[in-house]
Amino acid sequence: MKLSEGIEQAIHCVTMLAGLDEGQVLSAAALAEYHGVSASYLLKHLQALSGAGILATMPGPKGGYRLALAPKDVSLLDITLAIEGPAPAFRCAEIRQRGPKPLPGRYFQAPCGIASAMHAAERVYRSELAKTSIADIVAGVHAVDDDGAIAGRGTDFIACHARQTGR
């Protein structure tokens, strides 16, 4: 299974936005700069996250993005579904019914073993993503960042680029 680059970008951005104080936002341009990615490509994903209710958007020249939910209430599955959509990764085209000497439909009423196995694997994958929240990701960064450099880099960037919304 291959996920788009947008998943990584979205998770990193949501994780960074979890570090904002109340009333602060970061612009799409600032998030793109920090992560070294295309602002136009990232903007598409930020809009999808907003549409899914994960991010709140503050319009205007001093506007930007912030989390709409608490970090503990945003799972990796929520982000993945917002970016990739809800369609399953495996789509069975029933090719077992094609080719020479086709059999009657009564032989194909149940899903084939391949489709069943792939759908079961996806259920496990989605279940694991649902178990991990952005709060867990933030805690993991702090746990492995023994000298504080990773957290410090983000904190310094937020201090320079966060905008106050007054809300």
Side-chain angles (χ1 to χ4, degrees):
M1 179 180 319
K2 182 177 180 180
L3 298 173
S4 72
E5 287 181 27
I7 295 294
E8 179 184 11
Q9 293 177 15
I11 294 169
H12 276 282
C13 287
V14 171
T15 302
M16 175 168 247
L17 293 171
L20 293 177
D21 291 333
E22 183 70 31
Q24 289 184 320
V25 296
L26 279 174
S27 69
L31 288 163
E33 176 187 342
Y34 182 80
H35 294 102
V37 298
S38 161
S40 60
Y41 183 69
L42 180 61
L43 186 58
K44 177 178 93 168
H45 299 305
L46 295 173
Q47 290 169 342
L49 292 167
S50 293
I54 295 168
L55 298 184
T57 305
M58 297 290 115
K62 297 247 183 209
Y65 295 88
R66 67 177 184 215
L67 289 184
L69 304 167
K72 69 178 180 55
D73 296 328
V74 179
S75 74
L76 295 183
L77 180 62
D78 297 329
I79 296 168
T80 301
L81 293 176
I83 302 302
E84 297 288 333
F90 179 80
R91 291 171 203 75
C92 181
E94 280 294 337
I95 66 170
R96 66 187 176 151
Q97 296 183 43
R98 299 180 191 165
K101 297 185 180 182
L103 295 172
R106 66 185 164 94
Y107 289 99
F108 306 108
Q109 291 178 3
C112 75
I114 293 168
S116 295
M118 296 300 287
H119 293 307
E122 184 153 356
R123 284 191 297 276
V124 171
Y125 166 76
R126 287 182 180 220
S127 174
E128 287 302 311
L129 290 177
K131 290 178 189 175
T132 305
S133 72
I134 290 301
D136 298 329
I137 299 294
V138 170
V141 168
H142 291 295
V144 298
D145 186 16
D146 54 5
D147 69 357
I150 295 171
R153 176 178 176 252
T155 301
D156 291 346
F157 189 87
I158 288 171
C160 291
H161 293 85
R163 299 171 174 176
Q164 294 296 327
T165 64
R167 295 180 197 179

